[in-house]
Amino acid sequence: MLLGEPFGVADLFSIAPMVDVTTSAFRRLARVMTRQAMLYTEMIAAEALVHEKLELLAHHEDELPCTLQLGGNDPKKLAVAAAIGESMGFSAINLNAGCPSDKVQSGQFGAVMMKDPQLLSECLYAMQEAVTIPVSVKTRLGVDEFASEDFTRELIANISFSGCRHVVLHARHCWLKGLSPKENRSVPPLDYRRVYRLKQEFTDLYFTINGGIISLESCFEHLNNVDGVMLGRAIIDNPYLLASVDSMLFDDPAPPPSREEVFARIEDLAEQFLSEGHQLQHLAIHALNLFNSCPGSRRYRRYLSEHMTRPGAGVEVLEQAYQFVKNT
C-alpha cells in the first residue's frame, strides 16, 4: 500500500499531461522557468511498458519532480507499469480516467473507466500495492448519461475506497460520442463548485482542480477551496506564465525572470539538447509562444517555425528569431 505522502508541495501547482506536448523536451524547457511545479508526462499505455518499451520513459533528472501518467484498465499490467515507473525515478504515478479520445476509448480506458468505478478502484489499489511513491487519478465529473452529482460522489467514494488519496478533477463532464476531444475541453460547462463541494465532503482526500484556468491570479481563488491547481492549454498559449509560478505560488523570494532571461536560459538548454543528439525543433516548438503579446512576436514565431525544422538547425536559429522581438 502507498507509503509516500500522497500530496507533496509540488502538487500545489501542476502542468497537465497533454499528448504531443508534455514531452521530455517540454518538461526540460518548463524547468528553466519553474523549479517547484509538478510536471507530468504524456499519458503512456501500461501495455507498452509491460512489453518493455522503456524508451517511452526517457527523461532527464532536471525534470523532477515529475509524475508518470499511465493509461490502462488491467490492474496487473498497471501494477507492473507503475513499478517500472518508480524504478525509472519518477516522483509519482497517475492513472488517466478522464481522456475521451477515440484511441483511448478503443482500448477501454481513459474516461470510459468512469462507467466501471469498481474496476477503477481495483486498478488504483493494485498500483498502490506495487509502489512506494504516491498514486493519484485524473478524471472528470461524469461521462455520457452519468452526469449527476450523485454519480460524481459515488465515483469519488470508490476512488477513496481504493486507498488513493489524491484526485485530479477536470471540472467538466465529457461525452464519448458526439464531441471531439478538443470539444470536450470546452463545450461541456465548467462546474468548479461541484469540485469544491466534493472537497468539503471528502475531507481526507486531496483535490487538484483542472479545466479552464488561465491565470495565476485565478489559482488563488481555487486554492481557497481545494488543495492544488492544474493548468494545461493556458501554458501552451502563454508559456511565460510559468516564470511567475515559484514566486507567486511557492513564495520563492527570487523575482520572476524576464522573458529575455528565460530566452537566454532556453538557448543554454538548446546547446545541451543538441549536444545530446536531439533535433532543435523538438525543443524550440515549445518556445514558439514565449513572446506572445510582445511587439515582434508574430515575426519571431514565423521565423522560428520556418527554420527550426531545417537539417542542421542550431542555436543560431533561436538567436536570429529573437532579433525580431529584441529590436522591436
Side-chain angles (χ1 to χ4, degrees), residues 141-173:
L141 298 180
V143 55
D144 293 341
E145 70 273 21
F146 302 100
S148 70
E149 189 152 348
D150 284 342
F151 169 78
T152 313
R153 188 179 297 110
E154 180 183 354
L155 176 69
I156 300 302
N158 274 272
I159 290 170
S160 178
F161 183 74
S162 75
C164 178
R165 289 289 172 266
H166 182 192
V167 182
V168 181
L169 264 179
H170 187 148
R172 283 190 174 97
H173 187 77

Side-chain angles (χ1 to χ4, degrees), residues 260 291 294-298 300 321-328:
E260 291 72 23
F291 293 97
C294 297
S297 61
R298 185 175 298 179
Y300 159 85
Y322 177 54
Q323 299 307 308
F324 291 107
V325 289
K326 181 180 179 181
N327 298 325
T328 302

Side-chain angles (χ1 to χ4, degrees), residues 258-287:
S258 66
R259 277 187 170 87
E260 291 72 23
E261 290 171 324
V262 167
F263 192 78
R265 295 176 188 179
I266 290 174
E267 288 186 305
D268 290 341
L269 173 60
E271 292 274 12
Q272 181 180 353
F273 192 73
L274 291 165
S275 72
E276 296 166 358
H278 304 298
Q279 294 179 339
L280 180 69
Q281 67 190 73
H282 297 143
L283 180 70
I285 191 172
H286 303 298

Side-chain angles (χ1 to χ4, degrees), residues 172-218:
R172 283 190 174 97
H173 187 77
C174 74
W175 294 94
L176 299 182
K177 302 297 180 183
L179 291 181
S180 68
K182 181 178 180 180
E183 291 169 330
N184 266 308
R185 292 195 297 268
S186 58
V187 174
L190 288 160
D191 190 353
Y192 295 138
R193 296 197 177 279
R194 186 184 296 192
V195 181
Y196 298 166
R197 289 191 293 272
L198 289 166
K199 173 60 186 177
Q200 291 170 355
E201 181 173 351
F202 294 89
T203 57
D204 60 333
L205 300 186
Y206 295 89
F207 284 88
T208 291
I209 197 165
N210 172 230
I213 306 170
I214 61 173
S215 72
L216 296 186
E217 289 75 15
S218 64

Side-chain angles (χ1 to χ4, degrees), residues 67-246:
T67 295
L68 166 64
Q69 188 184 65
L70 296 175
N73 65 2
D74 183 315
K76 292 182 179 178
K77 291 179 179 178
L78 282 165
V80 170
I84 293 172
E86 180 175 30
S87 72
M88 295 286 284
F90 285 96
S91 310
I93 308 293
N94 178 266
L95 177 62
N96 184 319
C99 178
S101 76
D102 291 339
K103 182 178 180 181
V104 169
Q105 286 183 57
S106 67
Q108 292 298 300
F109 57 98
V112 74
M113 293 186 73
M114 285 187 275
K115 295 185 177 184
D116 192 345
Q118 182 176 346
L119 175 61
L120 176 57
S121 180
E122 291 172 0
C123 289
L124 288 167
Y125 181 83
M127 293 165 71
Q128 290 171 97
E129 285 284 290
V131 301
T132 60
I133 56 177
V135 172
S136 62
V137 59
K138 188 174 190 294
T139 188
R140 289 192 176 221
L141 298 180
V143 55
D144 293 341
E145 70 273 21
F146 302 100
S148 70
E149 189 152 348
D150 284 342
F151 169 78
T152 313
R153 188 179 297 110
E154 180 183 354
L155 176 69
I156 300 302
N158 274 272
I159 290 170
S160 178
F161 183 74
S162 75
C164 178
R165 289 289 172 266
H166 182 192
V167 182
V168 181
L169 264 179
H170 187 148
R172 283 190 174 97
H173 187 77
C174 74
W175 294 94
L176 299 182
K177 302 297 180 183
L179 291 181
S180 68
K182 181 178 180 180
E183 291 169 330
N184 266 308
R185 292 195 297 268
S186 58
V187 174
L190 288 160
D191 190 353
Y192 295 138
R193 296 197 177 279
R194 186 184 296 192
V195 181
Y196 298 166
R197 289 191 293 272
L198 289 166
K199 173 60 186 177
Q200 291 170 355
E201 181 173 351
F202 294 89
T203 57
D204 60 333
L205 300 186
Y206 295 89
F207 284 88
T208 291
I209 197 165
N210 172 230
I213 306 170
I214 61 173
S215 72
L216 296 186
E217 289 75 15
S218 64
C219 290
F220 289 107
E221 180 179 351
H222 290 300
L223 290 171
N224 287 327
N225 297 279
V226 293
D227 305 288
V229 290
M230 174 180 278
L231 274 65
R233 300 288 153 179
I235 293 168
I236 298 176
D237 295 338
N238 178 24
Y240 182 64
L241 175 152
L242 294 176
S244 296
V245 165
D246 291 359

